[in-house]
Amino acid sequence: MAPITKSNLLERAQAVAEEFEYTPEQVNAGVAEFLHLMDAGLQLDNQPMTMIPTYVTSVPNGTEKGVYLAVDLGGTNFRVCSITLNGDSTFELVQAKSAIPKELMIGTAHELFSFLAERISDFVKEHHAEHFDEDNEHHLRLGFTFSFPVDQKGINKGFLIRWTKGFDIKDAIGKDVCALLQKEIDALELPVVVAALVNDTVGTLMARSYTSPGETGTLLGAIFGTGTNGAYVEKLRNLKKLTATEEAKEAYGVYDKSTGEMVVNTEWGSFDNAMKVLPDTRYDRALDANSVNPGIQMFEKRISGMFLGEILRNALLYLRDEAGLFASTDSNTVRIKEGASIYTPWSIDTAFLSNIEADITTELTAAKALIAKELGVSGATLEEAQAVKLVARAIGRRSARLSAVPIAAIIIATKLRQEQKIDEGVGLDEVETGIANLQVAPGRRRSIVNSIIGTLLSVVDRVRGTVTPAVAPVVAPIVDAPPKSAPVPQGRTITPATVLSGTAEESIIDLGVDGSVVEYYPNFEKYLREALIEVKEIGTRVEKRVRIGVAKDGSGVGAALIALVASL
C-alpha cells in the first residue's frame, strides 16, 4: 500500500485513539459494578471477585522497632531479607538472592524447601549469628512471600492450590507451605519462626503504612505494574462470609478479632470478567483470544504492564492494514524488518509506550529512534511517530482512568460510607473540635479519636440493628518520615501531597502504590485523578483528600511488617 497523506493517517490514528476513550459515564458505571461485586465477595465465597481474607488484622504506624526476616519465592530466584525497623518510619534492609536450580523446580517438596531453608541458614549465620544463643521467645520472626495460588487458612497457614511459573512439584500440592518451610528450618535448628504468609499486595499496604507521612492510616495498597491488584483495610463486621455458616466458621478458623478489622486481598485483576461494564475494542479482543487464559483477568488485561504493549501492537497492525502506517514507498523498499517486534505477539514492552509519550520534542526524534529499535521499522516519518504517539497515549490514559475505578469504589465503601454514618447519626463537627482542643500528644489524640468514632459507629449501627456490638477502630496512625533505604527513583511520576494544600491531616485518605506503570508512566497519576473527580461520590472535594505515595518492596519490607503484626 502506498503511503497516504499526513492528514489521512493522523485522522485514522485519532479515530483509533478515540476507541480507547473511557468516558465519565463508563467510569461511574465501573465504580457501581465494582461496589456490587465487592460486596458480594465480602458476603459469600465463590464470587466473581474473591475478596480474600488475609488474617492480617492490624497495620503498623511507623513507631515499631525490631529486626525481622522476609523471604520471597516468586519465580526463579529466592530472596532473603533482614529488615531493621528504626521506630521513626525508617528502616534498613540487607538482602541476598539465590537462583533456584531448575531441577528443584520439578523435584520434591523436601528438596525445594530444604534448599530454601539452607539459604536462610546461610543468611542468618552471616548477619544474625547472635540469635542462635537466644531462647524461643527471641527467635527471628519471618514473613514468607509465596507468589503462587494458595488457600490461606491463617496468618501463617496456606495450602498450595497449584504451581505456576515453571514449577511442578506434585507432592507439595495441597500442603501447607509455611509448615513445609518451618519443618526444614527446624531440621537445621535455626532460630527462625515462619510468622506470616504474605501476599505482595498486602505487603505494599503494610510498607506504605509504616513509611507514610502524617498520622493518617493507610487505607489501600495497590499494584499497577506487570499485573494489578489491591488490598485494603475492611471492618470485620462487613466480612460476613467469615461467619455466614457453621461450615464457614470452621473453614476460616481462628483469627484476631480485637481490632475489629482485617486486610482484604481483592484480587481485582479479575474484576468484571463477565464484561458488563469494561470497555472493549477489537484490539482487546485480539489480545484476549491470543492469551493463555481467555476470558480471565479481563480488568488486568486492560491496565497492566504485561498487556499494554500487546494492545498497542494490535492497534498498529490495524493502522498498517487500514491506513498505510509504515507502508513502503515502492516495491523495492522494505521498511519493516523480517521478524520485527511489530509482527511478534507479546514482544512490545510497556516501557515503549511510556518512552514514546515522554518525547515532547517537536520532531519526535527519540520516538522515531524507538520505533526503529523496538518495532523494527526503519525511516519512521514525523507523521508516523505522531500516529504511534496518539494511540500509545490513548492506551496509557485509558489504563490510568480504569485504575481509578477500584480506588474510588474502595474509598466510597469504606471512608465515605463511614463518614456518612457518623454525620447522619451524631454531631461529628462538635466531637472533632473538642478533640482538637485536648492537651494531649498527637498520637494519643488519634487514639482517642479512633475510640470515640468507634463508639459513635456502634451507637448508629445498634440503632439500625445492622451489626453486633463489636466495632473496629480506625486504622493506626502514621508518623512522618520517608524510608532512608528507599530513595526516590529518577523519572517517578507520583507526586504525593501536591494537591493536598490546605487539607487537614485527619481527613487525608492515604494510598500506597507500587509497580512500574503507576510509578513511571508519564501522567498516570494525573489521568487517574481526573477520573476520580468524575466519580459522582468523589468529585474535587474528596479527590483533594487523596494522598498517593509509592511503597517499595512489599515482598520484603511489607512481609517483615506482617511478621511483626502477626507476633503482637
Side-chain angles (χ1 to χ4, degrees), residues 271-299:
F271 166 56
D272 196 26
N273 283 341
M275 294 300 296
K276 292 181 179 178
V277 296
L278 284 178
D280 200 26
T281 69
R282 69 191 84 193
Y283 322 109
D284 296 308
R285 292 189 292 274
L287 177 148
D288 184 53
N290 198 34
S291 70
V292 297
N293 55 348
I296 306 297
Q297 299 294 99
M298 301 303 273
F299 184 66

Side-chain angles (χ1 to χ4, degrees), residues 237-238 240 421 457-458 461-462 464-471:
R237 64 172 178 261
N238 295 330
K240 298 185 186 301
K421 275 187 176 184
L457 284 173
S458 178
D461 281 335
R462 288 192 209 174
R464 294 179 178 179
T466 57
V467 297
T468 59
V471 178

Side-chain angles (χ1 to χ4, degrees), residues 263-513:
V263 175
V264 172
N265 169 20
T266 67
E267 290 294 338
W268 73 36
S270 61
F271 166 56
D272 196 26
N273 283 341
M275 294 300 296
K276 292 181 179 178
V277 296
L278 284 178
D280 200 26
T281 69
R282 69 191 84 193
Y283 322 109
D284 296 308
R285 292 189 292 274
L287 177 148
D288 184 53
N290 198 34
S291 70
V292 297
N293 55 348
I296 306 297
Q297 299 294 99
M298 301 303 273
F299 184 66
E300 185 171 76
K301 287 174 179 175
R302 283 154 177 75
I303 72 172
S304 68
M306 180 177 288
F307 303 103
L308 299 185
E310 182 66 3
I311 295 173
L312 176 65
R313 191 186 74 86
N314 291 335
L316 295 183
L317 288 176
Y318 175 81
L319 281 174
R320 180 206 61 181
D321 295 339
E322 300 297 324
L325 179 68
F326 305 140
S328 300
T329 55
D330 57 66
S331 59
N332 296 320
T333 303
V334 177
R335 297 185 59 203
I336 304 178
K337 299 176 182 177
E338 184 177 351
S341 294
I342 194 171
Y343 290 145
T344 307
W346 310 103
S347 62
I348 300 177
D349 193 273
T350 295
F352 175 78
L353 286 77
S354 178
N355 291 329
I356 289 288
E357 181 157 356
D359 186 356
I360 58 174
T361 63
T362 304
E363 295 298 315
L364 295 181
T365 305
K368 287 186 281 190
L370 281 167
I371 290 169
K373 179 181 178 181
E374 303 295 336
L375 299 187
V377 177
S378 62
T381 65
L382 175 60
E383 293 75 30
E384 288 173 329
Q386 289 171 331
V388 172
K389 184 171 181 176
L390 269 173
V391 178
R393 172 179 292 169
I395 292 169
R397 182 171 179 266
R398 187 186 71 164
S399 168
R401 289 175 62 80
L402 278 163
S403 299
V405 167
I407 291 175
I410 288 170
I411 290 173
I412 292 167
T414 55
K415 291 289 187 181
L416 299 191
R417 287 180 179 173
Q418 176 177 298
E419 291 168 4
Q420 182 182 14
K421 275 187 176 184
I422 297 173
D423 287 337
E424 290 174 352
V426 297
L428 182 60
D429 292 339
E430 289 80 3
V431 172
E432 288 185 331
T433 300
I435 294 298
N437 292 330
L438 286 176
Q439 299 300 309
V440 295
R444 175 61 179 154
R445 184 182 304 155
R446 178 68 179 176
S447 177
I448 295 171
V449 170
N450 290 354
S451 177
I452 292 179
I453 288 176
T455 302
L456 296 176
L457 284 173
S458 178
V459 171
V460 173
D461 281 335
R462 288 192 209 174
V463 169
R464 294 179 178 179
T466 57
V467 297
T468 59
V471 178
V474 177
V475 184
I478 305 299
V479 177
D480 187 7
K484 294 177 182 177
S485 59
V488 177
Q490 295 299 310
R492 174 170 291 173
T493 64
I494 292 294
T495 53
T498 57
V499 298
L500 297 172
S501 177
T503 302
E505 168 64 30
E506 61 269 18
S507 70
I508 288 173
I509 300 169
D510 192 77
L511 312 178
V513 297

Side-chain angles (χ1 to χ4, degrees), residues 79-101:
R79 184 168 66 126
V80 184
C81 307
S82 170
I83 294 89
T84 301
L85 305 173
N86 297 321
D88 59 357
S89 292
T90 68
F91 61 85
E92 282 80 44
L93 183 148
V94 179
Q95 64 178 348
K97 289 185 179 180
S98 304
I100 304 293

Side-chain angles (χ1 to χ4, degrees), residues 76 99-113 115 166-171:
T76 57
I100 304 293
K102 291 187 182 301
E103 61 271 20
L104 296 187
M105 297 171 65
I106 55 174
T108 67
H110 167 69
E111 290 169 342
L112 175 64
F113 284 91
F115 172 83
F167 283 78
D168 186 19
I169 303 171
K170 292 180 173 54
D171 69 338

Side-chain angles (χ1 to χ4, degrees), residues 122-136:
D122 294 341
F123 186 89
V124 171
K125 288 176 180 176
E126 179 178 355
H127 298 287
H128 299 289
E130 70 279 7
H131 282 272
F132 282 90
D133 298 325
E134 297 178 344
D135 57 42
N136 291 347

Side-chain angles (χ1 to χ4, degrees), residues 188-211:
L188 297 177
E189 299 183 342
L190 302 181
V192 175
V193 175
V194 181
L197 181 63
V198 179
N199 172 278
D200 58 355
T201 309
V202 181
T204 297
L205 168 62
M206 303 295 279
R208 173 63 181 177
S209 189
Y210 184 78
T211 60

